[in-house]
Each structure stands twice: as C-alpha cells, then as structure tokens.
Amino acid sequence: MNDNADHLVIEKVLAGDLQAYGELVERYQDFVFTNCIRILKSREEAEEVAQDSFLKAFHSLKSFRGDSKFSTWLYRIAYHKSLDKLKKLNREQHFQVVEEITESDSAGLENGLDCLLREERMALVEEAVKSLPEIDAAIINYYYFDELPVKEIATITALSEDNIKIRLYRGRKQLFSYLKQYINPEISRNNGKAI
C-alpha cells in the first residue's frame, strides 16, 4: 500500500475524522490477523489480539512519527501484543532437535518434495512452520510468505538484523528436520531415488 495514502488517512484521523481510521483497519486487518494467528495458533486469541492491536495503534496514533511505514509500525504492535498474549497464557516453547544436514539429504529432500502434490506440500510446510517456536515461526512467515526484507522484520520484532538471519537459518534447519520424516519414506520406497 502507498505510504502517502496511509499518511493522508492518519492526518484525517488526527484532525478529528475518527471514521477515517476504518480505512486503515480495512486495509490491514487481514494481514494483522494472519500474523497474529501464525504466532498464537488460535483463531479466538488471534482475533482478540488483532483487535487490541488496532485499538492500541489508534490510541497511539499521535506518537507515530513516520520513521517507518505505518504498516511496519502496526505489525510491530501486533507482533508484541501476540508475544504478550503468549506470556499471559504461559505457553511453553518446544524446541525440536536439529539434525546435521548433509548435501545428499538436502538433495533428497528437494527430489522428495517434488513427489508430493502441491496442496499436500503446502499443508505440510504450514504444519512444519507451526511446529517452530512462535517467534521463529513469525520470522519465517514474514520472510518467506509475506516477503518482507530482513530490515523490516528487525523493525517489527525489535531484534537485530543479524539475529533475524540466525533465526531464519535455524528455522530452515528445523523445518528440514521436520519435513525429512515425511519425505524420506517416499525416497525409500523408490530404492533411494525420488520419482
């Protein structure tokens, strides 16, 4: 979305046209909700946090300086609200042991994935991402699905760019480890060769 369009709406809201804020909500509600549900993994909790995020953004609109895009500022609010909700729910993060990845394993995974139907593959990848710790899942989603640059993800999460890169690397390794259990049986049934 055009930053100028967002800034025009923000100016209207700050000038007293409170109804104009609905344009921003409508523009970003799907993306905010999607990112909340990716972290919280519960529709009900994600809806609540998304709504709270828009309320906080509305009440804090005067403090928006425009240093970043409005969408980045809003996503950061939603990201931190989601993490706060997780803390409140006392969820434990489960870390999966990451196996060493060899080049042949990597090649086998790529060939094995080609055997799966596209829909099955996407469902499997989504399930794998859900198995990651919430922060890592959010970063993977921001980077690969939402195609946000590392710099913008760093702004949203308040983590350094180097930390984002490390989490992306570890997340990919964990995803490989998760997906390997589903792909290797396909390879084994074909005498070690992908179809």
Side-chain angles (χ1 to χ4, degrees):
M1 180 48 60
N2 186 340
D3 282 342
N4 290 334
D6 288 348
H7 287 287
L8 291 174
V9 173
I10 291 168
E11 287 175 14
K12 285 182 187 178
V13 174
L14 294 176
D17 182 3
L18 303 182
Q19 298 297 324
Y21 189 69
E23 291 178 46
L24 295 174
V25 173
E26 190 173 315
R27 191 173 294 161
Y28 296 109
Q29 66 186 355
D30 292 339
F31 192 76
V32 168
F33 172 75
T34 299
N35 283 288
C36 290
I37 202 165
R38 286 176 179 163
I39 295 171
L40 296 166
K41 299 177 180 138
S42 163
R43 181 175 191 82
E44 184 177 300
E45 291 168 3
E47 287 173 349
E48 179 183 331
V49 170
Q51 185 176 29
D52 289 347
S53 299
F54 280 109
L55 283 172
K56 181 174 182 177
F58 177 77
H59 292 297
S60 303
L61 205 53
K62 289 180 183 176
S63 68
F64 175 63
R65 297 184 309 254
D67 297 342
S68 63
K69 296 187 292 187
F70 172 77
S71 59
T72 302
W73 182 73
L74 177 62
Y75 301 157
R76 183 175 183 167
I77 290 171
Y79 171 81
H80 287 286
K81 283 271 189 198
S82 296
L83 294 182
D84 289 345
K85 183 69 169 182
L86 281 177
K87 288 177 190 172
K88 198 181 262 188
L89 297 171
N90 293 323
R91 287 200 178 159
E92 294 179 10
Q93 293 184 356
H94 300 285
F95 295 92
Q96 189 174 0
V97 176
V98 178
E99 300 174 10
E100 286 298 315
I101 300 173
T102 65
E103 221 172 285
S104 63
D105 286 339
S106 190
L109 179 64
E110 289 175 24
N111 290 335
L113 278 176
D114 290 338
C115 298
L116 298 174
L117 296 172
R118 179 166 169 63
E119 290 176 13
E120 291 174 337
R121 190 175 0 176
M122 279 309 297
L124 191 58
V125 169
E126 286 175 10
E127 195 60 36
V129 171
K130 286 180 186 177
S131 75
L132 296 174
E134 287 81 3
I135 294 173
D136 293 341
I139 290 170
I140 291 284
N141 279 303
Y142 288 141
Y143 188 77
Y144 289 104
F145 296 106
D146 301 330
E147 299 179 357
L148 296 179
V150 169
K151 186 174 184 172
E152 191 168 346
I153 297 169
T155 302
I156 292 169
T157 60
L159 298 171
S160 71
E161 289 183 39
D162 287 339
N163 196 326
I164 297 297
K165 291 174 185 175
I166 290 168
R167 285 177 178 269
L168 283 169
Y169 173 75
R170 289 181 183 161
R172 284 190 298 265
K173 285 178 69 174
Q174 288 177 310
L175 289 174
F176 174 81
S177 181
Y178 181 92
L179 292 171
K180 184 178 175 183
Q181 65 185 320
Y182 295 99
I183 303 309
N184 279 346
E186 286 293 319
I187 294 170
S188 298
R189 282 194 295 249
N190 295 301
N191 298 322
K193 297 178 185 173
I195 300 173

